[in-house]
Amino acid sequence: MLVKYVGHAGFLVESSGLKVALDPWIEGNPSAAKGNVGMDVLEGVDYALVTHSHGDHGLVEAIEASKRWGTEVVGVFELANHAQSEGAKAIGANVGGPVSLRGAEVVLTQALHSSSLGVPVGFVVSTGEVTFYHAGDTGVFPGMALLGELYRPEVAMLPIGGHYTMGPREAAKAVELLGAGKVVPMHYGTFPVLRGTPAELRAALRDRGIEAEVVEFEPGEEGEI
Ligand code: ZN
């Protein structure tokens, strides 16, 4: 899978001919600004997956991309309804089983967080080439073991900043529960309060005896995983 880090919790992923964005917060995102990532990065995106309504997760950008380029917004039912009411094409779903998106399957997962539009979610995305998990904003929860057992994600994008989400210690436990071989840290460093670091995640993984690889991206950076 080809990954481009928008910054904060935002990613673009290209795999098996499909281009998806996850939580593509751009306007006012200090991390995206640092990486010179602008709205044009969303041109040609097939689906924009948005985990919850908080302003740092890109619902506004997903709606804008839909209006400009026909991107479909994917999220929990109430969030998708809101996107539609704002003029976007949207697919509303809920926590449970797979949603089919042109060759890919997406499962909305539990997330321990808050949202003003429905419930917050994470996404497990299987493209045929790869299965990855974007946790959204969440604390660690035992059901991650079930996600690992059912979907076997090879790559996990996990928040590590603390304060609003998991910190490094909790994220290391999440990696253990998920059984993912690669972890991409996110939701850290954007604001001073999000103080967990990839180095702390590596140390926490070592402490638990977990050999997963931490794949770190700078905002704006692109790479194959
Ligand atoms: Zn949030």
Side-chain angles (χ1 to χ4, degrees):
M1 64 196 260
L2 180 64
V3 174
K4 185 181 177 82
Y5 187 36
V6 170
H8 198 56
F11 296 90
L12 295 181
V13 174
E14 283 186 67
S15 173
S16 303
L18 202 68
K19 200 167 175 183
V20 302
L22 298 118
D23 284 0
W25 178 39
I26 293 164
E27 298 299 329
N29 177 351
S31 164
K34 207 168 74 184
N36 281 321
V37 179
M39 265 306 284
D40 56 344
V41 81
L42 297 180
E43 187 170 358
V45 167
D46 300 295
Y47 300 100
L49 281 49
V50 179
T51 58
H52 64 295
S53 68
H54 291 159
D56 56 332
H57 290 265
L59 178 56
V60 167
E61 285 81 353
I63 291 168
E64 184 61 25
S66 183
K67 289 189 201 169
R68 287 199 207 175
W69 301 299
T71 301
E72 290 189 76
V73 181
V74 180
V76 81
F77 180 73
E78 291 81 1
L79 181 143
N81 280 353
H82 169 80
Q84 260 167 359
S85 74
E86 295 285 317
K89 287 201 284 181
I91 299 170
N94 221 315
V95 174
V99 177
S100 289
L101 304 180
R102 206 154 53 72
E105 294 214 319
V106 174
V107 175
L108 277 60
T109 69
Q110 175 188 19
L112 296 184
H113 195 63
S114 59
S115 178
S116 54
L117 293 167
V119 295
V121 301
F123 296 104
V124 174
V125 181
S126 301
T127 65
E129 178 197 13
V130 68
T131 297
F132 67 92
Y133 169 54
H134 183 294
D137 279 3
T138 187
V140 65
F141 54 90
M144 286 179 175
L146 194 57
L147 299 180
E149 185 191 327
L150 283 172
Y151 309 117
R152 307 202 169 281
E154 293 130 282
V155 177
M157 297 155 171
L158 301 177
I160 64 161
H163 197 100
Y164 298 111
T165 69
M166 294 187 277
R169 180 203 282 203
E170 296 80 14
K173 181 63 190 179
V175 174
E176 184 182 317
L177 292 171
L178 291 160
K182 294 180 179 178
V183 52
V184 183
M186 63 177 187
H187 212 277
Y188 68 94
T190 320
F191 313 112
V193 78
L194 306 181
R195 64 180 198 279
T197 65
E200 288 169 350
L201 175 62
R202 287 192 181 90
L205 288 166
R206 257 196 318 274
D207 285 352
R208 300 198 76 87
I210 301 165
E211 288 186 7
E213 181 190 352
V214 176
V215 184
E216 201 179 326
F217 287 95
E218 291 297 321
E221 189 183 351
E222 190 172 270
E224 279 285 342
I225 303 185

